[in-house]
């Protein structure tokens, strides 16, 4: 049974940091490109950051570029998202996801390419 379990969310003030983790089981972690997505209340789910199967390539959406860092530890089957200088507009439920389909750079940026999803962790940033 494939499981992706996010953790590390919480309530922080604007300007503070959080580190999200996503522990994966039931699949061969380094066979998958990974991504972080988020969904704010009343809004559609959107991509945040993406990473290739070996961690060598990363890509960020403009809204988080320079503030968030995606990384992975294949030995621990764990994906991370380090979030710094958080803003109220970062408030959302954050989801990790796994994909066996990726583009020429090795990252998967299309949401529908992701076949496995976690249950999400809530991040709330107060102003």
């Amino acid at each position: 049974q494939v499981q992706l379990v996010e953790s590390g969310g919480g309530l922080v003030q604007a300007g503070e940091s959080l580190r999200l983790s996503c522990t994966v089981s039931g699949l061969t972690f380094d066979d998958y490109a990974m991504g972080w997505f988020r969904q704010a209340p009343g809004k559609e789910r959107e991509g945040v950051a993406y990473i290739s199967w070996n961690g060598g390539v990363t890509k960020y959406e403009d809204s988080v570029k320079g503030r968030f860092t995606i990384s992975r530890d294949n030995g621990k089957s764990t994906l991370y998202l380090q979030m710094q200088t958080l803003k109220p507009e970062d408030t959302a439920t954050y989801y990790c996801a796994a994909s066996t389909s990726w583009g020429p750079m090795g990252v998967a940026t299309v949401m529908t390419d992701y076949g496995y999803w976690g249950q999400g962790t809530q991040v709330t940033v107060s102003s």
Side-chain angles (χ1 to χ4, degrees), residues 23-45:
T23 301
V24 179
S25 60
L27 53 78
T28 303
F29 187 62
D30 55 10
D31 281 349
Y32 289 78
M34 299 293 296
W36 285 100
F37 297 79
R38 66 186 181 186
Q39 187 167 17
K43 295 187 177 181
E44 294 185 352
R45 191 171 298 189

Side-chain angles (χ1 to χ4, degrees), residues 38-109:
R38 66 186 181 186
Q39 187 167 17
K43 295 187 177 181
E44 294 185 352
R45 191 171 298 189
E46 63 178 8
V48 174
Y50 320 95
I51 190 166
S52 60
W53 68 272
N54 63 353
V57 180
T58 58
K59 182 176 173 62
Y60 300 90
E61 296 297 335
D62 288 345
S63 57
V64 306
K65 199 173 295 183
R67 300 187 299 119
F68 289 12
T69 302
I70 187 172
S71 62
R72 64 191 295 165
D73 185 335
N74 285 354
K76 295 182 179 179
S77 295
T78 302
L79 177 73
Y80 302 100
L81 185 67
Q82 179 68 46
M83 305 186 294
Q84 297 177 314
T85 319
L86 282 161
K87 304 175 181 180
E89 51 263 44
D90 294 318
T91 294
T93 301
Y94 284 72
Y95 300 89
C96 65
S99 172
T100 56
S101 177
W102 50 79
M105 296 300 292
V107 294
T109 60

